[in-house]
Amino acid sequence: DGGITQSPKYLFRKEGQNVTLSCEQNLNHDAMYWYRQDPGQGLRLIYYSQIVNDFQKGDIAEGYSVSREKKESFPLTVTSAQKNPTAFYLCASSPPDTNNSPLHFGNGTRLTVT
Amino acid sequence: ELKVEQNPLFLSMQEGKNYTIYCNYSTTSDRLYWYRQDPGKSLESLFVLLSNGAVKQEGRLMASLDTKARLSTLHITAAVHDLSATYFCAVESLTSQGAQKLVFGQGTRLTINP
């Protein structure tokens, strides 16, 4: 079955530590995205990538970094520079032809930083 | 900058009643998406609305799009408890590279009581 796998589901870290969230897809989608969701709020775009070895900042990229070395993988690193990292992080992908195609979302990683 | 606003943000209703969730957006777009999110879960695509006047129906849910008014509605008919969830609308804007960038509303938390 094709889909998007995010791991881990829950992640706990101490303040000041960098942490990397995994996102893997086997849908053969070109575009991948990272969104952040805070309690009771909508999703905000962190980074996105259209093709391998290229990515763009979204609306709230500060304190985050990404890489896109393979089409299937788009890991997100939450750095110590991110002031409020505790949130629910969702990875998504979309095929090249976006007509009639909504974003496909992974199951999310809930990050808690104390 | 594209802004998306939903109302109401919270909605508590009784089974069997009808209600409508509204989604307004600030700049021109021809594509709008509705998603459902259950607590602690990822987003599930409900509807993709691609043009002015588009109407889609699935079971007790019906979505419509008026691009001239920059308004979409999600109508719930004869609500049942299983429809309790948070509903998001998302409006598409394409980046200069053709990436499908979605801007989300704040979400409407719907609770349906027996």
Side-chain angles (χ1 to χ4, degrees):
Chain A
D1 266 340
I4 301 175
T5 302
Q6 289 187 243
S7 62
K9 187 173 180 179
Y10 299 97
L11 191 52
F12 298 89
R13 279 293 182 270
K14 294 288 187 186
E15 199 173 300
Q17 292 180 332
N18 292 356
V19 61
T20 298
L21 282 58
S22 171
C23 178
E24 304 276 333
Q25 55 102 356
N26 60 4
L27 298 167
N28 199 33
H29 286 174
D30 288 318
M32 296 186 74
Y33 308 79
W34 275 105
Y35 284 88
R36 169 183 173 137
Q37 185 178 29
D38 292 286
Q41 297 189 31
L43 280 66
R44 293 182 290 167
L45 182 63
I46 305 172
Y47 267 98
Y48 61 96
S49 168
Q50 276 287 86
I51 56 174
V52 174
N53 292 324
D54 188 43
F55 47 82
Q56 306 295 326
K57 292 182 179 180
D59 300 317
I60 56 164
E62 186 175 348
Y64 299 97
S65 66
V66 294
S67 63
R68 187 86 186 275
E69 297 176 4
K70 298 186 300 182
K71 187 176 184 178
E72 303 78 22
S73 179
F74 191 40
L76 174 74
T77 296
V78 184
T79 75
S80 57
Q82 169 48 234
K83 298 199 184 321
N84 296 296
T86 295
F88 187 46
Y89 290 88
L90 285 158
C91 178
S93 69
S94 66
D97 177 7
T98 59
N99 200 28
N100 289 338
S101 299
L103 290 186
H104 298 253
F105 284 89
N107 286 329
T109 292
R110 191 167 299 278
L111 173 64
T112 302
V113 176
T114 57
Chain B
E1 180 189 347
L2 173 59
K3 293 191 186 304
V4 181
E5 292 190 354
Q6 289 181 233
N7 73 84
L9 300 184
F10 298 93
L11 179 56
S12 181
M13 53 194 290
Q14 287 194 312
E15 279 191 326
K17 300 290 187 183
N18 303 334
Y19 210 82
T20 300
I21 299 170
Y22 297 89
C23 174
N24 290 88
Y25 54 99
S26 61
T27 63
T28 301
S29 176
D30 288 334
R31 295 173 191 248
L32 189 139
Y33 304 80
W34 283 97
Y35 287 89
R36 167 184 172 143
Q37 185 180 39
D38 291 298
K41 304 291 187 182
S42 187
L43 274 69
E44 172 192 353
S45 176
L46 294 175
F47 299 109
V48 179
L49 302 170
L50 297 176
S51 61
N52 187 41
V55 177
K56 295 274 185 78
Q57 182 162 5
E58 180 73 33
R60 301 174 188 275
L61 300 177
M62 183 174 72
S64 66
L65 177 62
D66 181 345
T67 58
K68 294 178 182 176
R70 297 176 188 164
L71 170 68
S72 179
T73 61
L74 180 65
H75 187 72
I76 303 144
T77 302
V80 293
H81 180 69
D82 285 352
L83 291 179
S84 295
T86 299
Y87 293 86
F88 291 95
C89 65
V91 179
E92 179 181 290
S93 66
L94 289 179
T95 70
S96 56
Q97 296 173 314
Q100 181 192 31
K101 178 179 170 179
L102 290 188
V103 179
F104 284 79
Q106 313 97 305
T108 296
R109 183 179 294 183
L110 174 64
T111 304
I112 298 170
N113 304 304

